Amino acid sequence: MIDQIQTETAPSVADKGKLKVPAARYLRQWELVDKVREYNPAVDETLLNKAYVFSVKAHGEQLRHSGDPYYAHPIEVAGILTQLKLDTASICTALLHDVLEDTDTTYDELAKMFTPEIAELVQGVTKLGQVELSGQVSKQAENFQKFVLAMSKDLRVLLVKLCDRLHNMRTLQYHPKASSRERIARETMEIYAPLARRIGVDSICAELEDLSFLHLNPSAYESITKRLDAWRESQSNVISQTSVALRDVIDEQGLKARIYGREKRPYAIWRKLERQGISFEDVADIYAFRIILDTPGQCYETLGAIHTHFRSVPGRFRDFISTPKSNGYQSLQTTILGPDNRRVEVQIRTHNMDEIAERGVAAHWSYKDKQYSFDEESALRSGSNMMGRIRNLVEMIGHGDADEFLEHAKLDLFTDQVFTFTPKGDLISLPRGATPIDFAYAVHTDVGDTCIGAIINQKEKPLRTPLENGDVVKIVRGGAAEPQPGWENIVVTGRARSALRRLTRETESDEFRRIGRLLADHAFAREDRDFSDSAILDALPRLEYNSPTEAFEALGRGELTVKDFMQAVFPGRDEQRLVDQYATRDLISDNTARLYVKGDGLREGVSLHLAPCCSPINGDRIMGVQSDGRGVMIHTIDCETLADFEDQPERWIDLGWRRAADHTASIGRISATVEHVPGALADVTKIVGEVGGNLTNIKTLKRSPTFFDMVLDVEVLDTKHFAHIVAALRTSSYVVSARRLRANQL
């Protein structure tokens, strides 16, 4: 029989009030020491006890929101760190991590009473606490830069902070303010969980994601957990039969193996529904078996035996042993057809690989030569390049402002990987969907800046070609570095996007001046006034600019509004007329398209129109097609209508979205099939509202005694927001299907 089954079930919404309550009996001194001694025989018991007692005395009678003594929190954080098997200095840091911020203790006192190393780590963790989100986005971005710099110097600072955040998330339901709970959960989902994944600490990452998901989208969380409960009950016999069959196969090989099961967690399921556009029943790896062996050779031997006894699912095999992920993860992954032709995922790896999969960078702290420390040799043998990934984030600092850095960092943190090679055989790991331009910038910034073409597997390919696992890529370089129109829309890595924006920024002033001049010209024309530079000279002191070109550039960049510009040029204008002409437009429309869409091939004065056949949304890759008498029609890159113009390339214009579009809504259309039962429509509207959508119209296409086919028009900020809404609808037990709708699909 199977040795062990581990199901990673997360809490239900009904249990939210009693989710991971702080233990009434927290770890005692001797218990904490014993936990450390289990993996580190050389533990400094005196130092650890000293830190424990100091923490309790320093926090004194301070209480947490739950009513528990505050010192229970650092003790619990230290307990979580023992599960990662970190060194004594890290455990002491966990016990002391809040004393600098919440007590009268100083850095010098810590250094004198303990060690300079521990004092430095505690100070580092204290600084990381300042990264928390606030109403000021720019302040958050600046703090995140400091965060990255601090953790790049010593990853133990990040590990302590991750465990600190994990315990805070376990007790988040006790925070009195709903807005603060949402802010903390969103910050955890957007920053801390991705950082945990980046350094390979899957056990912490998965729990942080689930706890954040619980607070950010409780209805979707509850729907998935209920479906998981029902699925678990219906599949118990199949799971048991599969486990017995796998054990029989391994026994026939004469191998000694540990087998345990893993149930996919709620957030991981929701993310798969969102990304792949599938239903809950189509998720193939809700339950997976892990087979743990002694050597890589036994892993491949076991894979062969399993493929001999079971039918494998084509396209579902991945070898991360020969080509590890960049966070050090190694495993063989395959999907087979088990009893009743049920698809079952099987993961095969060694004991060391299993440790790295669960503990990531923390798996490389070990007891060696009578000393417990980070084992660099072990890290190199595992193929881990975790510090290299952190250094990539550090390199982005300075390429633009702090807000852009935060945006690019999040792009790099949320990735699935493809593995590509240079012609010399060097491995370049990239996010899924990456293009040769991403590859070029991953090799070197200069290579990306001068890239003009790519040869993939000895064949010349377009630069927008998505790379696949195993591709050998040679970059064709040109002369001077010049920004290329549309490149920012076809790269997916934060590093490439950051470098392209930096390159563009160096030559973009003329473009902004041209746009600003166009806006000013149109504003003058709307009021039947003659436009010229001399007409605005008198207004420059009021605008606080030195020349018309500076004012035009500010207009083009959005730093100066057309309303303020015209008011300065023509003081005393009729206020009501001003309101009528320049009232804020909430939606991107044909009238405002030029303000939100850019492209070097656009001629001044040519009108832009959003094509009704595909209804482009901010974030879609877009192309323009010149239309006789109508200007330029804006289509999504996958619009079927574009096929009508394949033989007319001269009419195509490469377009992209301006940053101003990030704060402007578009109308997205969803086709949904919903059960015809009381409460179904109310649930649909509730879900759309909870994910931040604004439902503007509902149209029923077809009604039957059991189902409605309907179209929902929803205001969305971008394609990511739209995907969140569609994915959230799919989690509803009332919704049979939900997908984005094109006009030609009606």
Side-chain angles (χ1 to χ4, degrees):
M1 285 293 293
I2 192 169
D3 296 332
Q4 182 183 8
I5 293 181
Q6 298 176 353
T7 55
E8 300 174 352
T9 53
S12 66
V13 173
D15 293 333
K16 186 175 177 180
K18 50 188 179 182
L19 169 64
K20 297 280 187 181
V21 178
R25 182 187 176 282
Y26 47 85
L27 286 172
R28 305 305 183 191
Q29 289 175 248
W30 62 270
E31 292 175 319
L32 182 60
V33 172
D34 283 349
K35 282 182 173 291
V36 178
R37 187 183 290 113
E38 287 178 4
Y39 60 86
N40 178 13
V43 57
D44 188 338
E45 182 176 344
T46 302
L47 187 65
L48 206 54
N49 282 328
K50 189 177 181 180
Y52 187 105
V53 173
F54 186 90
S55 177
V56 172
K57 290 183 177 180
H59 290 294
E61 297 181 357
Q62 293 175 353
L63 298 177
R64 289 172 62 80
H65 291 302
S66 63
D68 287 330
Y70 191 90
Y71 55 75
H73 166 65
I75 292 172
E76 289 300 303
V77 174
I80 298 172
L81 276 173
T82 64
Q83 299 171 18
L84 296 179
K85 302 180 181 179
L86 284 198
D87 60 332
T88 303
S90 299
I91 306 299
C92 290
T93 299
L95 292 168
L96 303 168
H97 76 270
D98 279 331
V99 297
L100 290 181
E101 185 174 9
D102 296 336
T103 74
D104 296 331
T105 307
T106 66
Y107 173 87
D108 292 337
E109 288 174 342
L110 278 184
K112 183 178 180 180
M113 185 170 293
F114 297 97
T115 66
E117 177 189 20
I118 291 174
E120 191 69 25
L121 288 171
V122 172
Q123 187 178 59
V125 176
T126 302
K127 289 180 179 178
L128 294 195
Q130 300 170 355
V131 74
E132 296 180 358
L133 294 172
S134 65
Q136 297 179 332
V137 177
S138 59
K139 184 66 176 176
Q140 173 215 350
E142 292 171 5
N143 286 335
F144 186 65
Q145 287 185 334
K146 299 175 185 177
F147 189 177
V148 171
L149 289 172
M151 71 185 182
S152 68
K153 297 176 182 178
D154 195 329
L155 269 178
R156 290 179 295 178
V157 172
L158 175 58
L159 289 168
V160 174
K161 186 59 184 177
L162 287 174
C163 294
D164 171 43
R165 177 48 60 104
L166 178 56
H167 187 254
N168 283 331
M169 287 300 298
R170 288 175 176 177
T171 57
L172 184 60
Q173 73 277 10
Y174 292 110
H175 202 293
K177 293 184 178 180
S179 60
S180 295
R181 291 196 298 271
E182 180 180 355
R183 171 182 59 80
I184 294 169
R186 189 170 305 282
E187 168 190 280
T188 301
M189 182 71 84
E190 294 184 353
I191 294 177
Y192 288 98
L195 283 171
R197 179 184 294 110
R198 165 155 268 185
I199 62 173
V201 191
D202 183 70
S203 56
I204 290 181
C205 173
E207 188 172 355
L208 287 176
E209 288 177 335
D210 273 351
L211 292 168
S212 302
F213 184 37
L214 170 64
H215 289 278
L216 292 174
N217 200 339
S219 61
Y221 183 95
E222 183 175 22
S223 176
I224 288 179
T225 52
K226 285 182 177 179
R227 290 194 171 198
L228 267 177
D229 292 340
W231 181 91
R232 194 180 302 118
E233 182 177 352
S234 67
Q235 297 297 312
S236 58
N237 289 335
V238 174
I239 292 173
S240 178
Q241 293 170 18
T242 305
S243 67
V244 171
L246 287 173
R247 170 55 66 188
D248 289 343
V249 170
I250 294 174
D251 288 343
E252 288 180 13
Q253 299 300 115
L255 297 175
K256 182 179 180 181
R258 180 167 68 96
I259 308 177
Y260 66 92
R262 182 276 299 156
E263 184 179 280
K264 205 171 189 67
R265 301 185 70 119
Y267 178 72
I269 293 175
W270 186 86
R271 187 169 57 188
K272 197 158 193 173
L273 296 178
E274 175 192 5
R275 289 181 176 178
Q276 299 184 9
I278 58 178
S279 65
F280 183 92
E281 290 74 14
D282 293 328
V283 180
D285 58 344
I286 292 180
Y287 199 85
F289 289 92
R290 290 174 179 167
I291 302 176
I292 314 301
L293 300 124
D294 294 329
T295 67
Q298 291 178 352
C299 293
Y300 287 102
E301 183 180 350
T302 301
L303 175 70
I306 289 175
H307 280 183
T308 301
H309 286 77
F310 299 94
R311 291 175 56 195
S312 64
V313 178
R316 296 283 299 174
F317 169 67
R318 305 182 78 177
D319 184 351
F320 292 118
I321 291 182
S322 64
T323 309
K325 291 186 177 181
S326 56
N327 63 3
Y329 174 87
Q330 289 182 285
S331 185
L332 299 176
Q333 294 183 184
T334 187
T335 301
I336 60 174
L337 295 178
D340 297 333
N341 281 328
R342 296 278 184 176
R343 290 190 293 177
V344 179
E345 182 173 293
V346 180
Q347 301 168 359
I348 308 169
R349 55 202 188 211
T350 66
H351 294 281
N352 184 55
M353 294 172 189
D354 193 48
E355 281 280 294
I356 294 172
E358 294 299 314
R359 298 197 290 125
V361 69
H364 301 299
W365 263 274
S366 62
Y367 187 76
K368 184 179 181 182
D369 299 329
K370 297 183 180 180
Q371 183 180 3
Y372 193 81
S373 60
F374 188 74
D375 188 344
E376 293 186 9
E377 294 180 7
S378 172
L380 291 173
R381 284 196 304 271
S382 74
S384 172
N385 188 27
M386 301 168 193
M387 286 305 298
R389 303 190 76 193
I390 299 299
R391 279 192 289 269
N392 283 343
L393 290 179
V394 176
E395 287 180 9
M396 282 191 279
I397 296 177
H399 288 181
D401 57 29
D403 292 347
E404 286 186 5
F405 170 76
L406 181 58
E407 174 193 346
H408 302 326
K410 289 178 180 179
L411 283 174
D412 267 17
L413 291 174
F414 289 99
T415 60
D416 288 327
Q417 299 259 300
V418 293
F419 301 97
T420 58
F421 299 89
T422 68
K424 294 182 178 180
D426 296 330
L427 173 66
I428 303 292
S429 61
L430 295 166
R432 188 162 298 281
T435 65
I437 304 172
D438 294 296
F439 180 95
Y441 278 108
V443 173
H444 196 278
T445 301
D446 290 343
V447 177
D449 285 350
T450 56
C451 171
I452 60 173
I455 298 174
I456 304 174
N457 302 326
Q458 300 182 343
K459 293 183 179 179
E460 188 172 354
K461 296 285 187 178
L463 287 174
R464 62 175 65 245
T465 304
L467 298 177
E468 299 180 358
N469 279 318
D471 281 348
V472 177
V473 184
K474 179 181 179 181
I475 298 299
V476 180
R477 300 177 64 181
E482 295 182 5
Q484 300 297 317
W487 274 17
E488 192 177 321
N489 297 317
I490 62 176
V491 297
V492 299
T493 60
R495 180 174 182 175
R497 191 160 294 179
S498 174
L500 284 170
R501 287 189 176 178
R502 181 262 311 157
L503 184 62
T504 301
R505 194 176 294 112
E506 295 172 355
T507 57
E508 69 184 359
S509 292
D510 287 342
E511 179 182 356
F512 282 125
R513 290 168 185 168
R514 181 180 62 80
I515 294 171
R517 181 179 289 274
L518 179 66
L519 293 174
D521 187 18
H522 286 180
F524 271 67
R526 282 194 294 269
E527 299 190 13
D528 295 326
R529 302 178 186 268
D530 294 330
F531 171 71
S532 67
D533 288 5
S534 60
I536 68 170
L537 288 175
D538 292 340
L540 291 178
R542 292 187 289 275
L543 292 170
E544 298 183 352
Y545 292 108
N546 296 321
S547 66
T549 55
E550 284 189 16
F552 294 148
E553 184 172 345
L555 270 176
R557 290 184 181 274
E559 297 168 356
L560 173 65
T561 66
V562 174
K563 172 184 175 181
D564 291 341
F565 172 79
M566 294 298 288
Q567 190 66 32
V569 175
F570 303 107
R573 298 163 64 225
D574 181 73
E575 186 63 26
Q576 185 58 47
R577 183 183 179 189
L578 185 69
V579 171
D580 292 341
Q581 292 194 3
Y582 297 107
T584 300
R585 298 178 175 92
D586 294 325
L587 291 174
I588 297 176
S589 64
D590 287 354
N591 294 330
T592 59
R594 183 169 287 278
L595 299 180
Y596 303 111
V597 175
K598 59 184 178 181
D600 281 356
L602 292 174
R603 299 193 305 273
E604 291 189 8
V606 174
S607 58
L608 301 180
H609 304 277
L610 301 174
C613 51
C614 52
S615 301
I617 294 173
N618 177 30
D620 282 332
R621 293 183 181 182
I622 53 177
M623 294 291 297
V625 176
Q626 292 181 339
S627 175
D628 295 337
R630 291 204 60 193
V632 175
M633 302 299 296
I634 305 169
H635 297 266
T636 61
I637 195 66
D638 58 351
C639 180
E640 295 179 0
T641 305
L642 291 178
D644 298 337
F645 304 96
E646 285 185 353
D647 58 345
Q648 304 173 58
E650 69 278 3
R651 298 176 64 178
W652 290 50
I653 301 175
D654 210 2
L655 302 179
W657 298 99
R658 300 188 187 280
R659 290 193 68 184
D662 293 342
H663 310 291
T664 309
S666 303
I667 296 295
R669 180 160 287 183
I670 300 171
S671 171
T673 300
V674 183
E675 289 186 0
H676 189 176
V677 294
L681 189 57
D683 190 60
V684 168
T685 56
K686 174 186 174 185
I687 289 173
V688 172
E690 286 181 343
V691 191
N694 181 27
L695 196 61
T696 62
N697 186 48
I698 299 178
K699 180 180 180 180
T700 301
L701 300 179
K702 183 179 179 182
R703 178 184 303 178
S704 72
T706 53
F707 297 102
F708 283 112
D709 288 332
M710 57 180 56
V711 174
L712 312 175
D713 288 342
V714 183
E715 285 184 11
V716 297
L717 293 178
D718 51 33
T719 51
K720 182 178 179 180
H721 185 204
F722 189 68
H724 282 183
I725 293 174
V726 174
L729 286 172
R730 289 177 180 143
T731 66
S732 171
S733 58
Y734 297 112
V735 177
V736 178
S737 66
R739 61 184 176 86
R740 181 175 179 178
L741 186 66
R742 313 288 190 181
N744 53 19
Q745 295 174 331
L746 281 172

